């Protein structure tokens, strides 16, 4: 039997990998424009980092982590997310020393043993960013502006920003108590998972997808009525900042997030064209996490975007980051060497170029150029070669002209 990749774990093949590279390049650029530096964090960590950081009663820790003992009997977990590792590194390397606001980003695979379905994988890639050191609500706004900018530079038009506040250690316990009281009255009609969550993690009942549970929680108490004097103005200032930057948002009181470290602002960018797994990027504030993991009291906020979901949106919107500047069609063996020099010269000048190496018909070379999405085809025949000329065909409007080889770069640069 042939060996196949494990369920929920995917290869990224040429044709798609170019979209990944483009998104990664644009995102790196955007993050660096906003003052972030990359941090490379390990793929696996001591299990306790995640149980303590993400929370014992979360789905991730209860049922989704890839945990095993290594050969020394140490309990190890493949990272299910990046925030806990960044915070661990921040504390371990004292990145707070002399640095009031650390801005770090990471790119790489995460692992969760979830039920695989469209948009939900067991190994998936995230680009994440964390800002550590400021509790100013405008930092939240800046982070959301960054994501908003990024999605517009990727020309993804259909994302909605959903936002909520989940309160803090001061106000959340009162809200939790009120919510538990409300839910207990309906315990027999809630799904089994939510019945269990009433005691362990009642906020998660609010984002249960079961119709029965959703009906009940429609009239559940709202956190807005329980916010403390720190959380309430924080949320209002964030909303105000978004309006000031003309970033549209929807308040979603059901948005509670599946990781326990969140405080105050929580958000998701969702798409209507992705089906059930509709969050493309998500995150929020975690003002207690650094302390929980043994560091000094330090507020933080961050997000992670899911590469596979973003790539699938780019494909759906038919955005093509990969089109070829030109394809060099070669007629006759003598033209091959000149074609190679032209291709090298154009590549040196920054164009994406592909050329024909086989002596096939012009028709089949044009078909290949079309398939590769070439904007121009440079046709190089032996007659033209003797005159130092090529034919340049615009694949969009089908116009073609004979031009001097030496003018090719300048003409392509003018046209692109
Ligand atoms: P998260 O909501 O668990 O947050 O994941 C963030 C994004 O990763 C999701 O919105 C989604 O696009 C993608 N994602 C999550 N699980 C899967 C999966 N099984 N398959 C495919 N894509 C997936 C976090 O991970 C937090 N660490 C985000 C954060 C950073 N909060 C503060 N800082």
């Amino acid at each position: 039997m042939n060996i196949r990749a494990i369920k929920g774990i995917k290869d990224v093949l040429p044709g798609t990998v170019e979209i990944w590279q483009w998104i990664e390049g644009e995102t790196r650029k955007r993050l660096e424009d906003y003052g972030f530096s990359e941090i490379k964090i390990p793929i696996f960590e001591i299990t306790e980092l995640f149980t303590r950081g993400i929370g014992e009663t979360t789905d991730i820790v209860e049922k989704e982590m890839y945990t095993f003992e290594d050969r020394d009997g140490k309990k190890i977990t493949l990272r299910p997310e990046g925030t806990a590792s960044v915070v661990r590194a921040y504390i371990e390397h004292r990145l707070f020393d002399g640095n009031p606001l650390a801005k770090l980003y990471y790119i790489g695979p995460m692992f969760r043993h979830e039920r695989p379905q469209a948009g939900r994988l067991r190994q998936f890639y995230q680009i994440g960013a964390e800002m550590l050191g400021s509790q100013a609500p405008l930092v939240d706004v800046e982070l959301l502006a960054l994501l908003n900018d990024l999605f517009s530079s990727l020309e993804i038009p259909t994302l909605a920003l959903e936002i909520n506040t989940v309160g803090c250690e001061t106000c959340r316990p009162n809200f939790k108590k009120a919510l538990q009281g409300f839910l207990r009255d309906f315990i027999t009609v809630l799904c089994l998972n939510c019945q269990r969550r009433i005691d362990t993690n009642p906020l998660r009942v609010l984002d249960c997808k079961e119709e029965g549970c959703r009906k009940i929680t429609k009239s559940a108490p709202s956190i807005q009525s329980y916010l403390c004097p720190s959380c309430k103005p924080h949320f209002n200032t964030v909303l105000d900042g978004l309006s000031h930057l003309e970033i549209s948002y929807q308040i979603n009181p059901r948005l509670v997030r599946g990781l326990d470290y969140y405080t105050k602002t929580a958000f998701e960018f969702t798409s209507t064209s992705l089906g059930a797994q509709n969050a493309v990027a998500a995150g929020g504030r975690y003002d207690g996490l650094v302390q929980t993991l043994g560091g000094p009291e330090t507020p933080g906020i961050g997000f992670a975007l899911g590469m596979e979901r973003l790539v699938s949106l780019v494909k759906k919107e038919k955005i093509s980051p990969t089109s070829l500047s030109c394809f060099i069609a070669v007629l006759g063996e003598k033209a091959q060497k000149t074609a190679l020099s032209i291709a090298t010269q154009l590549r040196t000048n920054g164009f994406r170029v592909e050329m024909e190496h086989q002596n096939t018909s012009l028709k089949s070379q044009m078909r290949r150029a079309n398939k590769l999405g070439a904007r121009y085809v440079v046709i190089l025949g032996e007659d033209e070669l003797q005159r130092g000329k090529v034919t340049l065909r615009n694949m969009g409007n089908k116009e073609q002209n004979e031009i001097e080889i030496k003018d090719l770069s300048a003409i392509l640069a003018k046209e692109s």
Side-chain angles (χ1 to χ4, degrees), residues 60 80-83 106 112 114 119-122 124-126 128-130 257 259 261-262 268 279-286 301-309:
I60 296 180
E81 60 111 44
T83 312
Y106 50 92
R112 296 183 194 174
E114 296 195 77
R120 192 203 268 158
L121 296 158
R122 290 184 171 173
F124 56 96
Y125 279 71
Q126 283 187 344
E130 316 292 347
R257 311 277 301 123
L259 303 101
Y261 49 61
Y262 289 113
E268 290 185 356
V280 178
R285 191 162 262 292
Y286 46 83
I301 182 168
F303 70 80
L305 60 82
M307 277 298 271
E308 289 80 1
R309 294 186 194 175

Side-chain angles (χ1 to χ4, degrees), residues 40-151:
K40 293 204 184 279
I41 43 174
I43 302 265
F44 55 83
E45 299 260 13
I46 299 296
T47 302
E48 193 192 339
L49 172 67
F50 302 116
T51 49
R52 245 211 279 166
I54 299 171
E56 299 270 5
T57 60
T58 56
D59 283 354
I60 296 180
V61 170
E62 277 186 348
K63 10 181 219 210
E64 294 170 2
M65 295 204 303
Y66 281 92
T67 296
F68 55 95
E69 275 188 11
D70 73 2
R71 286 171 193 273
D72 309 320
K74 231 186 265 133
K75 233 173 149 195
I76 301 286
T77 295
L78 296 186
R79 61 182 186 196
E81 60 111 44
T83 312
S85 297
V86 170
V87 170
R88 194 242 339 114
Y90 175 81
I91 299 167
E92 188 172 334
H93 304 288
R94 301 182 63 86
L95 299 183
F96 39 85
D97 276 346
N99 185 9
L101 185 61
K103 293 176 162 187
L104 302 162
Y105 79 87
Y106 50 92
I107 299 184
M110 308 292 158
F111 306 85
R112 296 183 194 174
H113 193 273
E114 296 195 77
R115 202 156 37 82
Q117 62 181 84
R120 192 203 268 158
L121 296 158
R122 290 184 171 173
Q123 174 179 307
F124 56 96
Y125 279 71
Q126 283 187 344
I127 303 184
E130 316 292 347
M131 286 167 111
L132 291 142
S134 171
Q135 54 188 357
L138 285 189
V139 166
D140 309 24
V141 179
E142 217 182 325
L143 197 78
L144 290 163
L146 188 168
L147 273 169
N148 199 57
D149 277 1
L150 173 68
F151 294 134

Side-chain angles (χ1 to χ4, degrees), residues 3-52:
I3 298 172
R4 299 175 69 90
I6 296 167
K7 205 171 161 207
I9 298 184
K10 290 223 165 112
D11 298 306
V12 183
L13 302 176
T16 300
V17 88
E18 293 79 359
I19 302 179
W20 281 62
Q21 290 164 339
W22 174 64
I23 293 176
E24 198 180 308
E26 290 289 315
T27 312
R28 278 182 190 278
K29 190 176 162 317
R30 191 58 51 175
L31 284 161
E32 283 160 21
D33 287 349
Y34 273 76
F36 285 79
S37 308
E38 185 173 3
I39 178 168
K40 293 204 184 279
I41 43 174
I43 302 265
F44 55 83
E45 299 260 13
I46 299 296
T47 302
E48 193 192 339
L49 172 67
F50 302 116
T51 49
R52 245 211 279 166

Side-chain angles (χ1 to χ4, degrees), residues 152-194:
S152 32
S153 71
L154 295 174
E155 293 177 39
I156 295 173
T158 50
L159 296 182
L161 166 59
E162 298 183 27
I163 192 165
N164 194 19
T165 174
V166 293
C168 68
E169 283 314 305
T170 309
C171 51
R172 199 162 37 207
N174 290 335
F175 173 59
K176 254 187 180 171
K177 230 184 261 161
L179 187 61
Q180 279 169 326
F182 170 86
L183 294 171
R184 281 202 184 100
D185 288 344
F186 298 95
I187 190 154
T188 50
V189 259
L190 290 172
C191 75
L192 287 178
N193 215 0
C194 286

Side-chain angles (χ1 to χ4, degrees), residues 253-385:
R254 288 183 182 278
L255 201 160
V256 290
R257 311 277 301 123
L259 303 101
D260 276 357
Y261 49 61
Y262 289 113
T263 54
K264 296 193 166 117
T265 314
F267 59 85
E268 290 185 356
F269 280 84
T270 57
S271 160
T272 45
S273 45
L274 281 180
Q277 304 307 316
N278 64 354
V280 178
R285 191 162 262 292
Y286 46 83
D287 290 348
L289 183 59
V290 180
Q291 240 182 339
T292 304
L293 294 177
E297 201 179 324
T298 312
I301 182 168
F303 70 80
L305 60 82
M307 277 298 271
E308 289 80 1
R309 294 186 194 175
L310 198 49
V311 168
S312 126
L313 267 186
V314 167
K315 281 185 169 172
K316 280 202 172 88
E317 301 289 342
K318 295 203 170 40
I319 301 160
S320 169
T322 57
S323 72
L324 209 56
S325 315
C326 82
F327 180 87
I328 304 182
V330 190
L331 300 173
E333 268 179 35
K334 280 197 194 141
Q336 287 277 356
K337 264 196 178 156
T338 314
L340 194 58
S341 327
I342 294 176
T344 310
Q345 187 61 48
L346 289 176
R347 286 172 184 144
T348 309
N349 291 342
F351 298 103
R352 282 198 61 192
V353 180
E354 196 53 79
M355 66 173 275
E356 182 58 45
H357 301 100
Q358 244 92 22
N359 214 352
T360 56
S361 69
L362 181 60
K363 202 169 160 196
S364 96
Q365 295 189 48
M366 293 306 276
R367 263 204 307 269
R368 189 167 160 225
N370 224 343
K371 208 167 155 203
L372 288 169
R375 276 174 280 146
Y376 286 87
V377 175
V378 176
I379 304 167
L380 195 50
E382 288 178 6
D383 289 352
E384 288 147 312
L385 185 66

